[in-house]
Amino acid sequence: MSRPWWLIPCALLGLTCGEGGGYGVDYDGTWIPVIDMHLHPGDWDAIPPETQTFLASRFPFPLNLRPDRTADQVLSATGIVGELDRGGVHVGVLFAVYAPRTVGVATNELVEAGVAEYPKRLLGFASLRVDDWASAGEGELDRLEEALAEPGMVGIKLAHAHMHFRMDDPSYFGIYELAGRLGKPVYLHTGSSSFPGIALEPAYTDPAYLEPAIAAHPQTIFILGHLGYDFVDHEIGELETCIELAHKYGNVYLEPSALGSEGADPSGENYPTILRRIREEGLVDRLIYGSDGPQSPGFVGEYLERTVTAMERAEYSADDARALLSGNFIKVFGAEAGQ
Amino acid sequence: MSVAVILSLGTFFLGAPAGPADAAASASAPATSTPEVAEVPDEEAPPSPHTRGLGVDVESVAHQAAAGFSGDGRWQVGASAGYPWWGARAQLGVGHGLSTAVELQSALARRWRPAIGLTSLWLDRPRVRISGELLLGWLFQVGELARRGPNAELRLRLALRLRRAAPYLMLGSQHTLLASRTTIEAASGTTVRWSARGEWTGWATLGVVAAVSRKWGIDLAADLTWVDAPATAAIPGAHIGLVYGGFWR
Ligand SMILES: [Zn+2]
């Protein structure tokens, strides 16, 4: 992975120079900068009707009567930066999503525009359509490569369950090859999901099915999103599989977004248990923080607070906390920063 | 509208002392700037048939609005705007201790409920009134959370009678029967299943209707509503309204 210096994400330069700008968290007396690697910008009209209803039902009254307005206030680049400000998060990563049948579409262009608007605060992950792969696959890979050449576009986002393609289907391995060639990590949703219309069979959700792809692409970084969490039954799910894969493959990273939210972890026990298991296994240097926001106003900051509490309960040192909240992200995405 | 404005207006009307202080205030004010006051001199009060209704003399529309009850022979209309609730209401006193109402309620122009109501005065003291109301209507909501169904509401109102203002508390329990259609697409074919569920909305409005004159009143209130409880959380709101009324017999 080598990039010319001018492609170093502008957003990371400030952080590596130690400029906090008032952002970050105080953990055990140590100031730690925060990068949230999992945020969804959006356009309400691009979300399928069933998902609109699902999302609306989660807003409080009367915001649920005009969910479009509420969503656009929060989901625009400006809205997301506002949420980062409120939450004390320095840098956020926007995800493009192409899942027209489930969660909807947030185009690469939407993400690129947001990153261009706030180059010091936002980075982007590009994505692609996979629903007509046999005939459109090559064109989609070209489009993905073009998107990744744009400034601040640092990785690829995939969600097999939402996009309806198997984790172990080799016909899609071209995506991982491209990622490895360009030095752009791939984020993969793992675990079940309570969104309507998603594929819940193990081949779409169980990270064990990713092993052939991980093994075949050692030069590609795989970030296992949600750690295989079971969002349907609010259970820890496939965490042990993620841990096993991280032990076995140096190119596997772990991301704990959404699973610790009030809705996903009502007892508040699962999140600290998961973080503790990862520390016990000596895998804190593979953890990269994300929230899966913005969801609703205040969520980004709330998830960060819940993460700090969970880290305290899981007996994380300040160094562990720094690794999770920003250190590992900088290591993976800004390795050349400062050169 | 800011809370400070509501509070300062509330203080003005609630704090307006009755009796001697009032007389002193009006005596010290220049004659040209004397505002229209709530009370009407006895000699200007309408003759006998018009004094039927509540209280010994003709009371302002504001007090009848706060109680949700119009005395025999009296009518009033009102409209309110706020966040998220908007409303319009007409009241007609029909005697026999009853008052009728027609009402339209809306939240953000997405949730609507037209209804007709019957109000009875349960307690009628010089300073305090309590009324009960039954409304029957139809609820419909458009947009992402579309729903519709018959609706009934029971309301309890406690209203105080101050000279220029009527502070009130209204508690409501609103019930709607919703029918929903679920379409299940399976390999064996498409089945449509109908199911019914209830929606309950708890309601508390705390406000004051200020008597601008005998015929005009201004309503300021905070609306605490828990729509579709307990499934949905709710944010409180507030409204400002105007009421106007007279006599129909
Ligand atoms: Zn997500």
Side-chain angles (χ1 to χ4, degrees):
Chain A
M1 277 206 289
S2 73
R3 273 171 288 180
W5 64 270
W6 44 267
L7 273 184
I8 295 161
C10 182
L12 294 185
L13 285 173
L15 274 185
T16 48
C17 296
E19 288 168 21
Y23 302 109
V25 294
D26 185 340
Y27 189 87
D28 207 11
T30 309
W31 176 81
I32 295 171
V34 181
I35 301 173
D36 186 334
M37 81 149 302
H38 189 153
L39 297 161
H40 293 280
D43 176 6
W44 184 255
D45 297 329
I47 300 171
E50 309 82 61
T51 306
Q52 287 181 344
T53 302
F54 174 77
L55 292 173
S57 71
R58 304 194 138 202
F59 291 146
F61 179 89
L63 304 181
N64 59 4
L65 294 179
R66 291 306 306 258
D68 49 341
R69 284 186 196 166
T70 308
D72 285 339
Q73 271 169 23
V74 181
L75 298 178
S76 65
T78 305
I80 288 176
V81 169
E83 292 299 312
L84 297 181
D85 286 345
R86 277 171 73 180
V89 177
H90 192 285
V91 174
V93 180
L94 306 183
F95 281 1
V97 173
Y98 289 92
R101 283 193 283 170
T102 54
V103 292
V105 172
T107 63
N108 292 334
E109 290 73 20
L110 180 81
V111 169
E112 287 160 16
V115 172
E117 203 178 340
Y118 296 95
K120 293 186 172 166
R121 303 296 304 282
L122 300 174
L123 297 169
F125 269 42
S127 193
L128 73 175
R129 286 190 80 124
V130 298
D131 46 355
D132 186 18
W133 196 246
S135 59
E138 256 177 62
E140 284 296 323
L141 283 173
D142 290 344
R143 273 183 4 92
L144 179 63
E145 187 165 354
E146 273 167 37
L148 290 169
E150 292 296 319
M153 299 297 281
V154 296
I156 300 167
K157 150 82 189 212
L158 298 175
H160 295 80
H162 300 156
M163 296 159 83
H164 291 253
F165 72 113
R166 286 178 67 102
M167 288 174 164
D168 58 352
D169 186 341
S171 46
Y172 298 92
F173 282 15
I175 302 170
Y176 311 124
E177 274 163 38
L178 178 73
R181 181 160 58 79
L182 299 177
K184 308 282 186 179
V186 186
Y187 178 97
L188 311 106
H189 174 106
T190 65
S192 68
S193 165
S194 50
F195 265 101
I198 82 144
L200 282 173
E201 293 80 32
Y204 300 86
T205 60
D206 184 345
Y209 285 80
L210 284 171
E211 184 163 2
I214 293 167
H217 303 91
Q219 74 287 16
T220 305
I221 288 178
F222 289 78
I223 302 169
L224 308 184
H226 312 301
L227 303 172
Y229 196 75
D230 181 351
F231 287 96
V232 175
D233 295 322
H234 304 155
E235 279 164 12
I236 285 176
E238 310 301 336
L239 172 70
E240 293 305 321
T241 308
C242 295
I243 287 173
E244 221 171 278
L245 289 169
H247 274 308
K248 211 165 156 190
Y249 303 97
N251 55 332
V252 167
Y253 281 77
L254 309 167
E255 187 257 18
S257 69
L259 56 90
S261 71
E262 210 179 330
D265 182 14
S267 70
E269 293 300 321
N270 290 350
Y271 199 8
T273 303
I274 288 166
L275 291 185
R276 179 183 294 274
R277 277 293 295 134
I278 289 168
R279 183 179 60 72
E280 285 166 357
E281 293 290 329
L283 290 168
V284 172
D285 62 340
R286 303 289 188 82
L287 264 177
I288 300 178
Y289 176 71
S291 69
D292 206 356
Q295 299 204 9
S296 56
F299 177 86
V300 168
E302 194 188 299
Y303 200 77
L304 181 56
E305 278 171 32
R306 292 177 76 92
T307 302
V308 167
T309 306
M311 286 192 298
E312 284 165 353
R313 289 188 58 195
E315 294 168 71
Y316 273 44
S317 67
D319 283 346
D320 292 340
R322 180 185 292 274
L324 165 58
L325 293 178
S326 53
N328 295 337
F329 185 94
I330 294 169
K331 195 175 76 188
V332 171
F333 292 90
E336 298 93 343
Q339 276 175 16
Chain B
M1 180 189 5
S2 75
V3 174
V5 171
I6 298 174
L7 288 179
S8 61
L9 284 170
T11 312
F12 169 71
F13 289 110
L14 289 169
D22 200 39
S26 55
S28 66
T32 49
S33 69
T34 304
E36 196 181 355
V37 290
E39 72 267 38
V40 174
D42 282 348
E43 59 272 23
E44 285 180 21
S48 169
H50 289 173
T51 56
R52 283 176 306 180
L54 300 166
V56 284
D57 54 3
V58 178
E59 70 166 0
S60 65
V61 160
H63 291 97
Q64 307 214 341
F69 183 91
S70 287
D72 188 10
R74 301 193 63 171
W75 62 271
Q76 65 175 265
V77 291
S80 66
Y83 182 85
W85 298 101
W86 293 61
R89 177 177 164 107
Q91 258 172 229
L92 191 69
V94 294
H96 312 287
L98 293 172
S99 167
T100 57
V102 183
E103 205 183 89
L104 179 66
Q105 196 177 66
S106 174
L108 304 184
R110 285 255 164 143
R111 180 183 172 96
W112 298 88
R113 194 209 55 186
I116 52 168
L118 196 64
T119 318
S120 152
L121 206 54
W122 292 345
L123 179 77
D124 188 12
R125 294 274 160 78
R127 288 277 170 211
V128 190
R129 276 184 199 147
I130 295 175
S131 73
E133 183 166 275
L134 172 68
L135 289 142
L136 297 174
W138 185 262
L139 176 94
F140 62 99
Q141 192 168 300
V142 295
E144 287 78 3
L145 299 179
R147 59 186 60 170
R148 58 188 58 217
N151 173 286
E153 180 174 359
L154 278 167
R155 278 183 192 159
L156 200 66
R157 277 195 189 82
L158 170 71
L160 303 181
R161 294 179 75 193
L162 307 182
R163 181 170 286 233
R164 285 178 176 171
Y168 68 96
L169 171 69
M170 188 191 91
L171 299 173
S173 177
Q174 222 183 80
H175 305 257
T176 311
L177 189 66
L178 303 170
S180 58
R181 195 180 69 171
T182 318
T183 310
I184 301 151
E185 283 177 44
S188 53
T190 303
T191 30
V192 177
R193 199 192 298 154
W194 286 90
S195 58
R197 75 169 185 104
E199 187 211 84
W200 180 73
T201 293
W203 197 294
T205 293
L206 185 63
V208 58
V209 189
V212 177
S213 73
R214 206 187 61 213
K215 290 180 171 177
W216 288 95
I218 294 176
D219 174 25
L220 290 166
D223 298 306
L224 305 168
T225 51
W226 199 9
V227 174
D228 200 5
T232 309
I235 293 167
H239 73 255
I240 182 165
L242 207 57
V243 286
Y244 175 76
F247 299 87
W248 64 278
R249 68 180 181 199

